[in-house]
Amino acid sequence: MNEQRQNNSVVMIIDDDASTRMMATEFLSQAGFIVVEAADGLEAMAQVPLVNPDMIILDVEMPNLNGFDTCVQLRKIAAFVSTPILMLTGLDNSESIDLAYEAGATDFATKPINWSLLCYRVRYMLRASQASEMLKKNQMSLAASQRIAQLGNWEYDLLQDRLIWSDQLFQILGLKPGEIEPSHEALVSRVHSDDRSRVEDWINQQAEPGDRASIDHRIVLANGELRSVRQQMECTRNSDGTLVQLQTVVQDFTERREAEEKIHQLAYYDSLTNLPNRAMLQDHLDHCLSIARQNNHKLAVLFLDLDDFKRVNDTLGHAVGDMLLREVANRLQDNLRRGALESSLHDACFDSMVARMGGDEFIILLPSINDVADATSVANRILKVLSHPYTVAENALFTSPSIGISIYPNDGTTAEDLLRNADMAMYSAKRNGKNLYKLHSEAMDAAAQKRYRVDVSLRSALEKNEFSVFYQPQLNLKTGKIFSVEALIRWNSADLGTVSPADFITVAEENGLIVPMGEWVLRTSCEQTKQWIAQGFSINKVAVNISVLQFIRPDFPAMIESILEETGLPARYLELEITESLLANDTYGAVDTLRKLKKIGVELSIDDFGTGYSSLSQLKNFPINRLKIDQSFIQNVTNSKEDAAITNAIIAMSDSMKIKVLAEGVETQEQLDFLRNNGCDEIQGFLISKPLPAADIEANMMSVESLLDKLFAPDLSISLKTGTG
Ligand code: C2E
Ligand code: MG
Ligand code: MG
């Protein structure tokens, strides 16, 4: 504390003798103190709350309230409990000195007073009081921060054999401060029995000078509660290296540890089934692979997916779906546990792990198998136990799994490869009829692998914006004008490069993605056509291919209507190309849907006509505008009598039914001539133009039209080159 602060200190002199007060005021003011006077105890008591003195000089013998009683009264006021009080006694005897201390005085001085000495005394007393005040404050804030940080400490002085525990350490141990005598045994007895010898070793081991060593362990409170603590020790040695003191901080980190455990649980376990999740499986698989590599043994990954699980969710709701998944998880775990007990499967099931990858996908990891047969017998058991009926929320349910198996090292040496190959094999199991297992090695020929890759990449293609629409012009042979374009989807996959529709349309139909994809094509091509019309472009129709899967959805006509409304394209500009299979028999209520579509005002055509089983006579029942003769007939129309006859028959029949007929896949001038001579209305094919991006259609249309002008000019010797456009 500094002089400045002292100099501003207020000293109160309480004495009935005016000359003493005067002397005190004189000397103390000169020494820099602010002095306040009171003539007796009563006056002093009235003034202290207002003056709030830092120090009091108090005479003993006074009328009204004497010095001893004044002192006692002052000490009863909280603000003056530790204010330094110097008593002036005229009686130089030990009795009055004792009385002064008993009354609560800090010190005494005897009259007559040596005033210059007294000034030093006052200064010293103030300094001491301020120092102890500061110490008290520091101790209190240390105790508070230790309490907040749940930090206690113990100190062992080896020279004096003295052990001190802080109050907070008592509290960490579930005790009241001072409740028991601190001892090494008392501390160790509270350590969890499993941790005890470790803690004792740690204390005895004692760190190097200046080193800090720490240990984490559990303690058990009297009420049985378990807490986690960390002890950190610092050792002090004297100059010859003898250990003199151990200082140890004890921190209770139970809450943090519990939070960490919760985070771990959330990060590594699936909350629905409590099974390990993908991240945990990945870690564990990596670990098991390194062991398998070292010990040269096999490992199996079983990829399991429930068959038609989506139907359960869709029909009975997600809550029932979740319960079913939990039940499946239980059965899987039980089965592996029992497998581990049975001698026949002991090795395969021992240390196995079941994980949930998300949705209805589970992984079973068999870290050590003798041969493939171990994995297949586990798969067989699983097929059996999962196919027993389930009772979930009073519903009797059945489900079955499809399982794909990959084996280390045969089917892959990394976690990634093994998981992907097991997934591929599962995919093959699904395609082969479900409720069975497939080994990757047996299942995956090149074609299956390709289909699998397409399937996987296709799932994210739409959101990755990998699709585009190309347009192929359609030509009216009577007018020589382009009247329409067919919209054809194109896929440029980041993983697989350009994939042809032949390779992904059927996959999209199998996995259901054709529905959102088809809707996207519809919207894109309607928007494009609307734009062309607005630009005055001489196109008056766009034909869009529709999959059976789209067509049979009850909301299909409504979806068409809303796309037309959204894009602002008048219905007559849109033609839907459907396949013959829809007409073969009316199982899908096709007639009804077609009527609804007609009512909306869109045109309808039958694509790839001639390849299906419908007869021309059946067509009468359907409101169709156009038949598209399949390109396989056109290919040989000039050199196969049969194909020429079929083509002619389709042209003649559609003519009689007043349906337009379009020939697809026209590549040569000869094919064009044949079709024109035989009364075909329209053509489409590489001869006119390949399918092109929208921008190229706009750019090329001029050159196509000028070529057409020449083509349809009276001099027919000018011919088009194959692939023009
Ligand atoms: P499609 O509807 O019969 O379309 C005609 C196919 O023949 C197109 O193949 C087109 O590029 C091709 N082509 C056109 N002119 C010629 C030619 O002169 N010679 C030859 N050899 N081929 C020609 P692409 O684009 O590969 O489409 C194949 C099939 O995929 C389409 O047959 C259609 O069934 C389907 N598809 C294409 N886009 C979609 C779509 O957006 N939705 C649906 N559901 N199916 C689509
Ligand atoms: Mg088509
Ligand atoms: Mg076709």
Side-chain angles (χ1 to χ4, degrees):
M1 69 238 50
N2 50 41
E3 287 299 309
Q4 181 67 38
R5 199 174 144 203
Q6 285 232 326
N7 284 353
N8 289 330
S9 301
V10 176
V11 180
M12 178 179 248
I13 169 87
I14 311 168
D15 201 316
D16 57 330
D17 175 20
S19 66
T20 307
R21 293 204 305 271
M22 206 181 74
M23 292 296 279
T25 306
E26 176 68 21
F27 275 88
L28 289 168
S29 313
Q30 265 180 32
F33 297 104
I34 300 162
V35 188
V36 181
E37 299 180 22
D40 59 43
L42 283 184
E43 193 185 320
M45 292 311 294
Q47 278 196 44
V48 279
L50 309 168
V51 175
N52 200 16
D54 297 301
M55 155 124 197
I56 294 165
I57 301 173
L58 177 58
D59 186 25
V60 170
E61 293 184 336
M62 291 183 294
N64 297 327
L65 195 63
N66 73 25
F68 300 128
D69 294 337
T70 308
C71 192
V72 170
Q73 300 271 326
L74 281 167
R75 287 298 188 222
K76 284 185 185 157
I77 303 171
F80 302 109
V81 166
S82 56
T83 306
I85 300 177
L86 179 69
M87 276 212 159
L88 303 180
T89 62
L91 322 155
D92 188 9
N93 64 41
S94 53
E95 193 195 346
S96 63
I97 294 167
D98 282 346
L99 280 172
Y101 282 126
E102 267 168 39
T106 314
D107 207 351
F108 70 96
T110 50
K111 287 185 175 178
I113 308 289
N114 177 337
W115 288 107
S116 21
L117 272 184
L118 188 98
C119 286
Y120 286 107
R121 187 100 168 248
V122 166
R123 181 159 289 146
Y124 169 77
M125 282 178 74
L126 269 169
R127 193 175 291 166
S129 125
Q130 283 165 359
S132 89
E133 200 73 357
M134 187 77 84
L135 185 66
K136 221 189 294 169
K137 237 187 228 159
N138 286 347
Q139 280 174 337
M140 270 160 64
S141 69
L142 180 67
S145 32
Q146 289 203 345
R147 201 172 49 246
I148 292 164
Q150 296 190 296
L151 208 63
N153 65 292
W154 57 264
E155 250 176 57
Y156 180 54
D157 185 330
L158 280 87
L159 300 179
Q160 296 182 36
D161 188 22
R162 203 179 54 177
L163 180 67
I164 303 169
W165 288 3
S166 72
D167 288 355
Q168 191 58 30
L169 178 57
F170 279 98
Q171 272 152 15
I172 288 172
L173 298 174
L175 299 166
K176 287 198 195 74
E179 187 179 331
I180 60 163
E181 188 63 30
S183 73
H184 178 71
E185 293 69 32
L187 184 66
V188 171
S189 72
R190 280 170 172 78
V191 174
H192 190 284
S193 55
D194 291 352
D195 298 347
R196 203 168 288 156
S197 65
R198 203 161 53 85
V199 171
E200 278 186 303
D201 287 350
W202 177 79
I203 294 176
N204 294 330
Q205 174 192 332
Q206 290 142 15
E208 287 300 301
D211 260 13
R212 275 196 200 87
S214 71
I215 187 170
D216 292 353
H217 62 87
R218 292 158 298 171
I219 53 174
V220 188
L221 306 189
N223 63 7
E225 192 185 334
L226 265 184
R227 310 287 298 177
S228 301
V229 300
R230 166 168 299 168
Q231 297 205 51
Q232 276 183 291
M233 185 191 285
E234 196 166 85
C235 301
T236 312
R237 284 160 211 265
N238 63 16
S239 51
D240 65 11
T242 316
L243 191 63
V244 292
Q245 198 185 39
L246 306 179
Q247 268 189 306
T248 301
V249 174
V250 184
Q251 180 165 32
D252 183 333
F253 65 100
T254 311
E255 279 75 24
R256 199 184 69 210
R257 193 201 178 95
E258 282 169 0
E260 279 169 5
E261 275 167 8
K262 202 177 239 163
I263 290 168
H264 184 267
Q265 177 77 22
L266 287 174
Y268 285 101
Y269 289 86
D270 165 47
S271 57
L272 178 69
T273 59
N274 274 333
L275 289 179
N277 66 9
R278 183 186 294 268
M280 172 90 141
L281 176 91
Q282 191 84 35
D283 283 2
H284 191 59
L285 180 51
D286 284 336
H287 171 71
C288 291
L289 275 172
S290 68
I291 294 175
R293 219 166 280 137
Q294 270 166 28
N295 301 349
N296 223 358
H297 63 228
K298 290 189 166 77
L299 170 157
V301 173
L302 278 64
F303 199 117
L304 185 154
D305 186 291
L306 296 181
D307 300 328
D308 306 317
F309 176 72
K310 197 176 169 300
R311 220 188 40 221
V312 175
N313 260 347
D314 289 349
T315 54
L316 298 170
H318 285 261
V320 172
D322 284 355
M323 284 188 259
L324 179 61
L325 288 173
R326 251 178 296 201
E327 186 55 31
V328 166
N330 289 343
R331 288 194 192 180
L332 287 173
Q333 266 178 318
D334 278 0
N335 183 256
L336 285 165
R337 221 173 284 132
R338 249 179 289 122
L341 295 176
E342 268 175 35
S343 60
S344 64
L345 281 174
H346 178 272
D347 286 348
C349 293
F350 185 71
D351 247 5
S352 60
M353 177 185 269
V354 186
R356 178 167 174 240
M357 301 299 265
D360 58 346
E361 289 177 356
F362 297 85
I363 294 281
I364 293 130
L365 170 60
L366 307 174
S368 173
I369 55 169
N370 292 320
D371 54 36
V372 178
D374 280 349
T376 56
S377 55
V378 170
N380 272 324
R381 283 170 63 112
I382 290 172
L383 286 168
K384 211 157 113 196
V385 294
L386 291 194
S387 61
H388 293 313
Y390 298 76
T391 310
V392 176
E394 292 172 3
N395 297 289
L397 294 179
F398 290 89
T399 186
S400 61
S402 295
I403 304 174
I405 305 173
S406 65
I407 308 282
Y408 166 86
N410 316 34
D411 302 323
T413 54
T414 65
E416 197 191 339
D417 285 351
L418 288 166
L419 286 170
R420 196 197 44 243
N421 290 341
D423 186 13
M424 272 194 207
M426 185 278 290
Y427 183 78
S428 159
K430 289 249 188 243
R431 289 180 57 90
N432 280 276
K434 304 177 177 172
N435 194 15
L436 47 86
Y437 73 79
K438 278 275 173 199
L439 286 162
H440 177 262
S441 49
E442 291 170 3
M444 302 312 287
D445 54 17
Q449 290 202 22
K450 185 173 165 193
R451 210 166 34 229
Y452 169 81
R453 295 219 170 84
V454 166
D455 187 292
V456 170
S457 301
L458 204 56
R459 284 165 202 272
S460 57
L462 202 56
E463 69 197 42
K464 285 196 197 149
N465 230 340
E466 293 179 340
F467 293 121
S468 59
V469 178
F470 276 29
Y471 299 89
Q472 187 176 34
Q474 297 177 332
L475 176 75
N476 185 320
L477 285 175
K478 308 268 152 69
T479 63
K481 296 279 180 223
I482 301 296
F483 70 101
S484 175
V485 289
E486 177 176 5
L488 294 157
I489 192 168
R490 292 292 175 267
W491 181 24
N492 193 0
S493 158
D495 305 328
L496 306 171
T498 307
V499 187
S500 110
D503 290 331
F504 71 84
I505 293 287
T506 44
V507 177
E509 283 177 331
E510 276 166 15
N511 65 20
L513 280 171
I514 193 72
V515 174
M517 271 166 59
E519 194 173 328
W520 179 84
V521 172
L522 266 164
R523 184 170 291 111
T524 307
S525 43
C526 286
E527 261 164 19
Q528 182 58 63
T529 308
K530 164 85 188 175
Q531 214 171 304
W532 277 330
I533 292 168
Q535 289 166 3
F537 199 55
S538 68
I539 209 99
N540 46 24
K541 204 154 58 65
V542 65
V544 180
N545 293 284
I546 302 298
S547 157
V548 176
L549 250 78
Q550 292 175 274
F551 187 87
I552 61 174
R553 289 173 70 92
D555 61 353
F556 182 69
M559 190 268 284
I560 294 290
E561 247 180 326
S562 84
I563 284 183
L564 289 171
E565 201 177 297
E566 258 173 60
T567 58
L569 184 74
R572 65 174 187 283
Y573 287 95
L574 177 62
E575 176 174 287
L576 305 178
E577 293 192 6
I578 56 173
T579 55
E580 241 179 302
S581 59
L582 274 173
L583 313 182
N585 46 47
D586 193 24
T587 31
Y588 302 121
V591 183
D592 191 42
T593 305
L594 288 172
R595 295 225 166 93
K596 280 185 190 152
L597 293 168
K598 262 267 88 91
K599 221 166 140 201
I600 293 170
V602 297
E603 302 226 318
L604 297 162
S605 63
I606 309 287
D607 204 357
D608 306 336
F609 192 80
T611 55
Y613 302 100
S614 62
S615 66
L616 282 169
S617 60
Q618 268 180 301
L619 284 176
K620 277 186 294 208
N621 305 326
F622 299 96
I624 296 298
N625 301 82
R626 177 173 284 101
L627 289 185
K628 298 183 75 175
I629 309 172
D630 192 69
Q631 58 188 46
S632 59
F633 301 111
I634 308 304
Q635 213 170 15
N636 294 317
V637 82
T638 52
N639 48 32
S640 151
K641 281 204 174 99
E642 217 169 280
D643 289 348
I646 293 171
T647 303
N648 278 334
I650 297 174
I651 295 172
M653 287 293 279
S654 48
D655 191 41
S656 73
M657 286 193 291
K658 308 266 179 295
I659 296 175
K660 290 242 162 18
V661 64
L662 181 148
E664 283 192 288
V666 178
E667 295 182 354
T668 67
Q669 179 81 45
E670 293 73 38
Q671 291 164 349
L672 180 143
D673 292 340
F674 175 92
L675 291 162
R676 192 154 56 159
N677 295 337
N678 287 281
C680 182
D681 303 308
E682 298 153 352
I683 60 161
Q684 176 183 350
F686 294 167
L687 182 66
I688 310 302
S689 169
K690 282 192 168 158
L692 297 169
D696 292 2
I697 281 280
E698 292 162 31
N700 280 35
M701 201 51 88
M702 294 293 276
S703 58
V704 171
E705 298 251 333
S706 72
L707 274 170
L708 289 173
D709 285 345
K710 288 176 196 157
L711 178 68
F712 286 92
D715 178 7
L716 287 177
S717 62
I718 300 168
S719 41
L720 288 164
K721 274 193 233 119
T722 305
T724 301

